[in-house]
Amino acid sequence: MLQFENVVSDKGSKYAVCGGPVVDRATAKAFIKALKRDKKYARATHNTWAALLPEGPVKNDDGESGAGMVILRMLEREGLQNHIIVVTRWYGGVKLGGDRFRHVQTCVKYYLEQLRR
């Protein structure tokens, strides 16, 4: 599991991104479960994620409406199969509006850059 914290901070909200290989929906769910074993991530406001799997794409907004689709589209553009990316947000008390999608994109871009290294 690759994990990067404090990728973005805006108006009190903090974002992290992590990911790793998955082969099906069951391993994607197991990945999320393993991530949430860390109490910090279990207490996060949102753990949005997506993966391109042989059985088809899967995503979960975890209450951050539309964020899973942002991650999924970026995975599709990258052509990254059998890999999950999770963007975590700890809400800071101020609504971010559309900026939240830009922050999700920034996190996924950062993750993909680190993955290429």
Side-chain angles (χ1 to χ4, degrees):
M1 176 187 301
L2 287 175
Q3 195 168 353
F4 307 98
E5 295 188 2
N6 299 318
V7 177
V8 176
S9 183
D10 184 10
K11 298 177 184 169
S13 286
K14 296 186 185 320
Y15 286 81
V17 64
C18 68
V22 293
V23 295
D24 56 22
R25 290 175 192 260
T27 56
K29 288 180 181 181
F31 186 96
I32 298 299
K33 188 174 182 179
L35 178 67
K36 288 183 175 182
R37 280 192 202 116
D38 182 333
K39 289 180 184 176
K40 181 178 182 177
Y41 286 85
R43 288 190 303 257
T45 312
H46 309 287
N47 285 292
T48 60
W49 60 272
L52 291 175
L53 302 172
E55 61 201 62
V58 292
K59 64 179 177 61
N60 187 309
D61 291 334
D62 193 29
E64 187 81 287
S65 183
M69 184 55 78
V70 171
I71 300 167
L72 188 59
R73 285 188 183 138
M74 293 181 77
L75 284 169
E76 288 170 342
R77 269 187 249 128
E78 190 71 19
L80 186 57
Q81 298 280 331
N82 297 325
H83 202 95
I84 189 171
I85 296 181
V86 182
V87 176
T88 301
R89 177 183 179 191
W90 292 271
Y91 181 63
V94 177
K95 293 187 179 190
L96 300 177
D99 287 344
R100 62 195 169 102
F101 297 114
R102 193 168 60 247
H103 297 330
V104 170
Q105 288 176 331
T106 299
C107 289
V108 174
K109 284 179 189 175
Y110 182 83
Y111 181 85
L112 293 171
E113 288 169 3
Q114 300 308 308
L115 191 61
R116 288 186 203 110
R117 290 184 172 188

